[in-house]
Amino acid sequence: MSFEMPKPTEDHQKLKKLAGQWHGMEKMYPSDWDPKGGVATGRQSAKVSLDGFAVVCDYEQERDGQITYMGHAVWTYDPKESVYLLHWFDSMGSPPEVFKGSFQGEVLTVSHGGQMHARMTYDFSHGTKLKSKMEMSPDGKNWNTFFDAEYEKK
């Protein structure tokens, strides 16, 4: 009896859209974390990993010539729940956050609850550009934009 290793599904293949070197401008909106808001540069390096079952990303944000924030992401797809998962680790020192979501056409949206709800949107419908937005909500109903960004694939 032979065992055949699982293969990534079409849903796993969609995560490949995240792979590559991304660089762009981020508009930060005033918030509790950043009372003034402002402009930042975001960079992300992402690669397909684990035989196509995951995408691993490293992110950094730069403001005024200094790296001010870093993150590490592991993206996967759970076929049992039919949901995309983003496991997020960052330089804030918080426990890992797990976002869940789905693609609607070329737009991937993931969110998580907890003490502060967060929702991330990735719009791949602009060719080599990626438009992204993060929204925050204290209750999961009333959302405020934390940042929006446009990245170019290098």
Side-chain angles (χ1 to χ4, degrees):
M1 177 184 242
S2 68
F3 176 77
E4 188 172 323
M5 291 295 287
K7 304 264 188 266
T9 66
E10 271 186 53
D11 294 304
H12 288 100
Q13 299 296 329
K14 288 182 181 180
L15 289 173
K16 288 181 178 181
K17 295 175 187 287
L18 292 159
Q21 303 295 317
W22 299 92
H23 181 272
M25 297 306 293
E26 301 172 336
K27 179 179 179 184
M28 307 301 294
Y29 291 85
S31 68
D32 292 342
W33 294 280
D34 188 358
K36 292 182 181 180
V39 177
T41 299
R43 290 183 285 274
Q44 178 171 283
S45 176
K47 66 178 183 175
V48 176
S49 187
L50 304 174
D51 286 337
F53 284 103
V55 171
V56 177
C57 309
D58 285 306
Y59 166 84
E60 64 183 18
Q61 182 184 76
E62 182 179 320
R63 294 178 83 172
D64 301 320
Q66 300 291 316
I67 302 299
T68 55
Y69 181 74
M70 295 176 288
H72 180 76
V74 179
W75 288 89
T76 59
Y77 179 75
D78 181 348
K80 291 179 185 165
E81 288 190 36
S82 300
V83 67
Y84 288 91
L85 300 168
L86 162 59
H87 300 266
W88 181 254
F89 309 82
D90 63 34
S91 58
M92 301 282 286
S94 303
E97 297 172 326
V98 179
F99 291 72
K100 294 181 179 185
S102 63
F103 268 98
Q104 298 296 318
E106 292 292 307
V107 178
L108 173 60
T109 303
V110 293
S111 62
H112 79 76
Q115 188 174 9
M116 180 59 79
H117 298 259
R119 178 168 61 199
M120 291 291 302
T121 304
Y122 301 86
D123 183 349
F124 295 97
S125 66
H126 306 280
T128 60
K129 294 187 189 281
L130 167 62
K131 293 193 177 186
S132 181
K133 176 168 59 171
M134 182 176 195
E135 299 167 285
M136 306 293 284
S137 170
D139 58 9
K141 296 176 185 161
N142 300 302
W143 294 92
N144 296 305
T145 302
F146 184 61
F147 75 80
D148 55 33
E150 184 173 302
Y151 306 102
E152 183 86 29
K153 193 170 192 176
K154 302 290 178 184

